[in-house]
Amino acid sequence: MTIIRHGVGDGTGSGGRTLPFAKATEAGGWLYVSGQTSMRNGEIEGHGIVEQAKIAIDNMLQIVTEAGYGVEDIVRVGVWLDDARDFWSFNKVFESYFGAHPPARCCVESPMVVDCKVEVDCIAYKEK
């Protein structure tokens, strides 16, 4: 089995540092996407959970698409919320992206490593 590492060295974190992990790793038809926040060009963007959730999910889906997968191939999404009170607002955003193809999902409240409100990751599968 071949392992493909997508986006190694492409990610930029706070302070312009190169992130020491792949944006996604693919093996045997499975795609594992690293956690995505509302970060663009090394800075957190967006005010409030709705805007940050859209940016984080867009970042995740961009990686999925670049790897040759689609939203319909996503089988599981992991969600970390900085504040559990944002759960229902996040769900509305989530449904707007995955309504027709709802994946399995885990959602937990957790303090974030960077100053953001949400982080998402996913696992996708596609017959190769």
Side-chain angles (χ1 to χ4, degrees), residues 18-29:
T18 301
L19 299 174
F21 50 84
K23 287 184 179 180
T25 303
E26 182 178 357

Side-chain angles (χ1 to χ4, degrees), residues 10 15 29 84 102 112 116:
D10 290 350
M112 299 292 154
C116 66

